[in-house]
Amino acid sequence: MPTRNDLRGGRSRRKSTAAPPPDDPDDNPRDYFEYLTTVTRGYNDPVWFVSTILKETVRKLFPFQEWWLREFYRNRYNPDLPQYKESDLACGMRGGKTAIISMAMVFEYFCTFTLDSPSDHYGLLGKQPIFHTVVATTSDTAEDGIFYNVTNMIENSEWLQTWGDLKIR
């Protein structure tokens, strides 16, 4: 039977079963300097984020999409300006509403994902799931349009896949 002294500090004596970090930094796909640079630039410039991080699915932003991202997130470019809380897009059919909102949702996910502690930031219990909500005119638009686009953008972003622990439902 182990004595009290045998049990004291037992955690610190355990050996890790995890593989040691590679000796050669080139073997590690995670470049932490790149991560910090991307988080800083992406957070402050949504247009750069969409054009760079989502480049696998968003090949080129249309001028209206770029304008909308800069306008809606104008406080990222100039902190003295107020932050928008909602957007009403009145565009015709095939006007790009679903694409713009999908890009904005992935950007919002990125901003949440890169917080030190999202639970603390939003005042939630630890490990509690965080949901982003979008309202659409029909459930088909929400599911087949926005949700599909967001899922596709996240799953096909090499950067988000490298750094994220993603659960999409």
Side-chain angles (χ1 to χ4, degrees), residues 6-81:
D6 291 332
L7 296 175
R8 187 176 298 149
R11 264 191 113 153
S12 63
R13 291 188 209 143
R14 291 183 187 162
K15 292 187 178 180
S16 172
T17 57
D23 293 330
D24 184 6
D26 293 335
D27 292 341
N28 189 348
R30 292 182 166 198
D31 179 352
Y32 293 98
F33 179 74
E34 177 206 356
Y35 173 80
L36 292 173
T37 304
T38 302
V39 168
T40 303
R41 184 148 186 209
Y43 184 81
N44 292 313
D45 189 353
V47 171
W48 179 87
F49 169 80
V50 170
S51 300
T52 306
I53 302 303
L54 303 180
K55 66 184 176 209
E56 289 86 359
T57 51
V58 180
R59 294 199 172 33
K60 183 175 184 337
L61 284 172
F62 291 108
F64 176 74
Q65 293 170 333
E66 184 173 336
W67 173 84
W68 186 89
L69 285 168
R70 287 191 194 285
E71 180 63 24
F72 189 76
Y73 293 107
R74 64 189 184 173
N75 65 312
R76 302 297 173 104
Y77 300 101
N78 182 354
D80 295 333
L81 295 173

Side-chain angles (χ1 to χ4, degrees), residues 44 152 160:
N44 292 313
N152 188 36
L160 290 173

Side-chain angles (χ1 to χ4, degrees), residues 5 15 49 54 70 89 98 104 121 126-127 136 140-141 153:
N5 287 334
K15 292 187 178 180
F49 169 80
L54 303 180
R70 287 191 194 285
L89 289 173
T98 300
H121 180 79
K127 305 288 186 186
D140 286 345
T141 301
M153 288 176 192

